[in-house]
Amino acid sequence: MRGFNKLIFNAPLALGYIAALTPSHWKIEVLDEQEINFENSIDRLSEYSNVDLVGITALTVTAPRAYEIAAFFKKRKIPVVMGGIHVSMMPDEALNFADCVVIGEPDSIWNDLIKDAENGNLKKKYTGEYLPLGGLVKPRRDIFGDYKAATVQTSRGCPMSCEFCSTVAFNGRVYRQRPVNDILDELESIPQKMTYFIDDNLIGHNKKDEERIISLCKGMIERKINKMWWCQATMSFGNNEELLYYARKSGCVCVLLGIESISEKVLRRMNKELNLKLDYRETINRIHKSGILVLGNILVGNDDDTKEVIEENIQFFKEVNIDAPGHVFVTPLPGTKFFERLDAENRIVNKNFPKDWKYYDLLHLVIKPNALSQKEIIDLKLLFYNNLFSYRQIIIRAFKSLIYSKKLYIGIGALLMNLWYRKFFHRYDSLIKEDE
């Protein structure tokens, strides 16, 4: 494993699955080049000029760099395969740079693609099927380096239809789940103590789904699988006290919740129906009482955002003590209903594709807001930062995190995370302010 960015915390699990699906007579090397600033030199790739096949996966924000890499290898007559969520949403764009593309999940077609590559007969497009997850191959972790945290996936797909989310377009509307024992077996084989469940929503969408995660937590306890883990979930995570109890007992330290906004009007327009049914304060208080920290994001720049709405969100984040508050611009990613709507309304500003995909990092405002000007929205994002990332607010949050968790190392971890957030958001908010 070669990592060009030493700051990346989690191993790229999708590449571990691809490696596991690849026949054993192929020698595999993974280059992890997750960079936001796209300043990696292309020259460092010259040592790979004699490989037989190059596979590249990319998010929307990393697509320009991915295309640059693809062009480098194509120029040397080396076949290039591209996949991942951005390529799946924009396959024809990607074919301008790659020999073939994989659309959707690769599990069902990767073996055929490799055979075609061996025969020099790659097709332009391979479209994956949504397979059941029972018996899913274990990702090859031997190809990874010294990542501090392991990544594990227990489910794919989502029946929801949030306007800004592309999960359904990529993984389908059916919520597919791995058997609990398969997950436990995999967890036992992972050396890292810190583990990130990368599911878009770990707990699923009904009581039966929640029971599966309770069984997983109980299994971790019974097998003495000693992990410190975190996850992403819907707000429902805080409404099941049995789930909270076993999650904490099995090692859960924090959960990332899709809060998005406390405005009912904003949530309705995003089609975030689940959030409308819940009491945010009670939900977050229950999670804190269980000893689990809450990471929460607010989306800034929604069609119904006003100065009053953002100020209400800021006050709410302070009162309920979101342990690590994120704030990003609402962004129309390809494959989403939000992209389709704003494109039809001619409200997407950065449209010089593929070059402008580099701005689709949720940290640049790439749309014309509805109720306010771009400058006003940017100023509101800065207002969020200034109110929640003063050193005083960070210390208050970290102290409360220590109280909730009753663990010194978690309190210290919350403090360090907030200091990193402060530096990270200050860097990008300052750059955005300078660009006005």
Side-chain angles (χ1 to χ4, degrees), residues 4 37 61 63 72-73 107 237 245-246 296 304 332 339 363 372 428:
F4 293 156
N37 57 15
V61 66
F72 173 88
F73 286 108
D107 309 67
F237 187 88
Y245 172 79
Y246 283 108
D304 298 298
F339 185 96
L363 299 169
L372 302 173
Y428 283 95

Side-chain angles (χ1 to χ4, degrees), residues 194-251:
M194 293 187 287
T195 302
Y196 173 34
F197 289 107
I198 64 169
D199 305 46
D200 292 291
N201 174 19
L202 181 68
I203 64 169
H205 307 277
N206 54 48
K207 291 299 180 183
K208 185 177 179 181
D209 295 341
E210 291 175 9
E211 287 296 328
R212 182 184 76 107
I213 299 305
I214 292 173
S215 296
L216 174 63
C217 295
K218 288 180 176 179
M220 292 175 70
I221 297 166
E222 291 166 3
R223 293 199 194 187
K224 296 181 170 57
I225 300 174
N226 184 23
K227 302 291 184 186
M228 185 171 67
W229 61 270
W230 61 98
C231 66
Q232 302 175 101
T234 62
M235 296 292 292
S236 297
F237 187 88
N239 281 4
N240 187 324
E241 294 196 1
E242 184 183 13
L243 171 63
L244 289 172
Y245 172 79
Y246 283 108
R248 183 68 190 95
K249 192 172 182 181
S250 65

Side-chain angles (χ1 to χ4, degrees), residues 318-332:
K318 285 182 179 179
E319 290 174 0
V320 302
N321 197 64
I322 300 298
D323 298 273
H327 56 299
V328 296
F329 288 121
V330 62
T331 302

Side-chain angles (χ1 to χ4, degrees), residues 203-367:
I203 64 169
H205 307 277
N206 54 48
K207 291 299 180 183
K208 185 177 179 181
D209 295 341
E210 291 175 9
E211 287 296 328
R212 182 184 76 107
I213 299 305
I214 292 173
S215 296
L216 174 63
C217 295
K218 288 180 176 179
M220 292 175 70
I221 297 166
E222 291 166 3
R223 293 199 194 187
K224 296 181 170 57
I225 300 174
N226 184 23
K227 302 291 184 186
M228 185 171 67
W229 61 270
W230 61 98
C231 66
Q232 302 175 101
T234 62
M235 296 292 292
S236 297
F237 187 88
N239 281 4
N240 187 324
E241 294 196 1
E242 184 183 13
L243 171 63
L244 289 172
Y245 172 79
Y246 283 108
R248 183 68 190 95
K249 192 172 182 181
S250 65
C252 181
V253 292
C254 65
V255 56
L256 172 60
L257 300 180
I259 294 173
E260 325 306 1
S261 176
I262 66 167
S263 164
E264 181 177 329
K265 194 173 182 181
V266 169
L267 292 173
R268 286 197 184 283
R269 192 185 289 267
M270 329 177 149
N271 201 31
K272 195 83 177 179
E273 294 294 329
L274 177 63
N275 286 28
L276 290 166
K277 301 175 184 177
L278 302 174
D279 186 310
Y280 276 15
R281 292 178 188 274
E282 289 183 6
T283 298
I284 293 168
N285 284 338
R286 274 193 292 269
I287 296 172
H288 277 151
K289 284 181 181 179
S290 74
I292 297 172
L293 306 188
V294 175
L295 283 65
N297 279 326
I298 178 178
L299 294 178
V300 180
N302 301 288
D303 282 355
D304 298 298
D305 274 348
T306 62
K307 187 174 187 290
E308 291 71 29
V309 167
I310 298 301
E311 288 175 340
E312 288 172 4
N313 276 284
I314 292 169
Q315 187 60 31
F316 171 79
F317 271 49
K318 285 182 179 179
E319 290 174 0
V320 302
N321 197 64
I322 300 298
D323 298 273
H327 56 299
V328 296
F329 288 121
V330 62
T331 302
L333 296 172
T336 65
K337 297 175 183 176
F338 190 47
F339 185 96
E340 294 174 1
R341 177 166 71 83
L342 265 66
D343 191 34
E345 295 172 2
N346 196 31
R347 289 174 52 201
I348 299 178
V349 177
N350 298 81
K351 293 184 65 174
N352 182 21
F353 303 133
K355 181 180 178 181
D356 277 0
W357 291 128
K358 67 181 180 181
Y359 298 114
Y360 285 64
D361 55 3
L362 312 185
L363 299 169
H364 291 82
L365 185 61
V366 299
I367 66 172

